[in-house]
Amino acid sequence: MNILLWHVHGSWTTAFVQGPHTYLVPLLPGRGPDGRGRARTFSWPASVREVSPGELREAEVDLVVLQRPHEMELAERWLGGRRPGRDVPAVYLEHNAPDGDVPDTRHPFAGRDDLTLVHVTHFNRLFWDNGTTRTEVIEHGIVDPGHRYTGRLARAAVVVNEPVRRGRYTGTDLLPALAGAAPLDVFGMRTEGLAAHLGLPEERCRTRDLPQDELHAAMAERRLYAHPVRWTSLGLSLLEAMHLGMPVVALATTEAVEAVPPGAGVLSTRPEVLAEAARRYLAEPEAAAEDGARARQAALGRYGLKRFLDDWERVLTEVRS
């Protein structure tokens, strides 16, 4: 199939484009949000082709994967009047947990009979009001980075984008107490100035933004992965950390309670429990490595790439038929 989708979520798309299709990714001058083109910091295969809106008017498109509400109108305009769901088969992929009026949040594509709504976690499907729209859950898949864990640095890795702006959603306010238990290395976009914002010494809360492969190598050197997120969809960085063989310390919220089994780390709704777990992993590197190995096996079993691509192939075939 020729599948049209926008480059919205780099980590998720990296897994999706490992499938057997041709992936048409819009490209605009300046590479803004509606035309980022191919990823620059992720490894994508040659089957991902950049296309301009002009090229899309005449392009053969077998299916559209929508990921943001405005893409319905955008796709119809760029496809020369062909409407997703009516003239071209379509799915709407929802990456996020609902925001506002929870648990009564009505999904923008609720009550539709012209497309399939795909959620990335069972938690998300449960909490969105999907109306009568046909829904599916296709859990995340990860391109396995390998068991790279060394844990040689007695620090905790945190991966989050825009922690200052997103605040309580990403548990940014919980970082000072966590930093008291284990010095933090916070990786992600727009993390600059985080230590000053939190009133922490720079050594207790260092920040960097790295390409994916460098990020994985840096994460794997840290003793543990900390995931203080209160309310978001299941973070791919958490699953990547588990694939790397890292023990995880995470808030027991949203889908994390399904993703991290006993023996792979510590889950709790009590920040003080997470801080104590971080202290223990720093003091007991062998225990950290053992829990990390169990985390990797759990992640490979549930969030492996083959299962992910097989699930998508089933849904795409059903939608197109």
Side-chain angles (χ1 to χ4, degrees):
M1 286 186 254
N2 290 331
I3 298 175
L4 169 63
L5 78 158
W6 276 262
H7 175 187
V8 173
H9 192 308
S11 293
W12 180 89
T13 309
T14 296
F16 184 70
V17 299
Q18 306 303 316
H21 307 290
T22 297
Y23 305 91
L24 307 178
V25 179
L27 174 66
L28 292 173
R31 295 182 179 268
D34 288 335
R36 289 195 176 105
R38 288 176 55 92
R40 296 176 173 181
T41 58
F42 297 87
S43 179
W44 287 3
S47 56
V48 183
R49 289 177 39 210
E50 294 179 335
V51 289
S52 68
E55 291 171 324
L56 279 174
R57 292 185 66 87
E58 305 299 329
E60 180 180 340
V61 175
D62 299 304
L63 189 140
V64 180
V65 176
L66 304 165
Q67 301 170 78
R68 298 167 297 174
H70 76 276
E71 290 178 1
M72 175 67 83
E73 181 277 330
L74 194 62
E76 183 174 6
R77 178 154 44 91
W78 288 3
L79 290 171
R82 290 173 287 172
R83 185 169 182 79
R86 182 190 66 194
D87 306 305
V88 184
V91 301
Y92 188 96
L93 171 63
E94 179 54 70
H95 290 283
N96 300 315
D99 186 11
D101 297 325
V102 177
D104 296 322
T105 318
R106 182 82 167 171
H107 194 275
F109 282 76
R112 305 285 294 246
D113 61 4
D114 56 346
L115 50 74
T116 296
L117 176 56
V118 179
H119 291 285
V120 296
T121 72
H122 292 276
F123 179 93
N124 290 2
R125 179 167 68 173
L126 177 67
F127 273 78
W128 277 108
D129 175 3
N130 304 298
T132 58
T133 305
R134 178 200 174 196
T135 62
E136 292 274 355
V137 175
I138 300 180
E139 294 188 311
H140 289 302
I142 302 293
V143 178
D144 183 14
H147 193 166
R148 301 164 70 175
Y149 179 72
T150 67
R152 68 178 186 85
L153 299 178
R155 303 181 67 89
V158 179
V159 179
V160 60
N161 291 325
E162 301 185 78
V164 174
R165 180 184 68 80
R166 296 168 71 192
R168 287 179 58 82
Y169 279 80
T170 54
T172 304
D173 60 301
L174 303 177
L175 293 179
L178 190 58
L184 308 178
D185 285 324
V186 182
F187 301 95
M189 295 185 293
R190 289 180 282 282
T191 55
E192 304 86 355
L194 178 61
H197 173 76
L198 296 173
L200 291 171
E202 190 69 31
E203 174 59 21
R204 302 300 295 187
C205 185
R206 305 186 305 203
T207 60
R208 295 181 72 186
D209 185 11
L210 298 173
Q212 188 184 44
D213 188 61
E214 293 180 36
L215 172 63
H216 287 163
M219 289 169 63
E221 290 183 321
R222 275 66 188 172
R223 186 69 49 80
L224 68 136
Y225 183 79
H227 190 69
V229 178
R230 274 193 183 88
W231 188 262
T232 187
S233 193
L234 180 60
L236 282 168
S237 57
L238 173 65
L239 302 181
E240 290 168 355
M242 293 172 69
H243 273 76
L244 289 165
M246 301 184 72
V248 298
V249 169
L251 279 181
T253 55
T254 64
E255 191 79 359
V257 295
E258 292 283 339
V260 184
V266 176
L267 290 174
S268 179
T269 54
R270 297 166 57 189
E272 62 271 21
V273 171
L274 303 187
E276 181 55 36
R279 289 189 190 95
R280 183 174 70 85
Y281 282 138
L282 260 58
E284 302 177 21
E286 289 186 5
E290 290 170 0
D291 284 4
R294 283 188 286 268
R296 173 169 167 78
Q297 290 307 307
L300 287 171
R302 183 160 184 170
Y303 301 102
L305 185 64
K306 183 180 186 305
R307 190 276 308 154
F308 171 80
L309 294 175
D310 286 347
D311 285 355
W312 268 107
E313 195 64 20
R314 174 183 59 80
V315 170
L316 296 176
T317 301
E318 290 174 358
V319 169
R320 196 183 175 205
S321 63

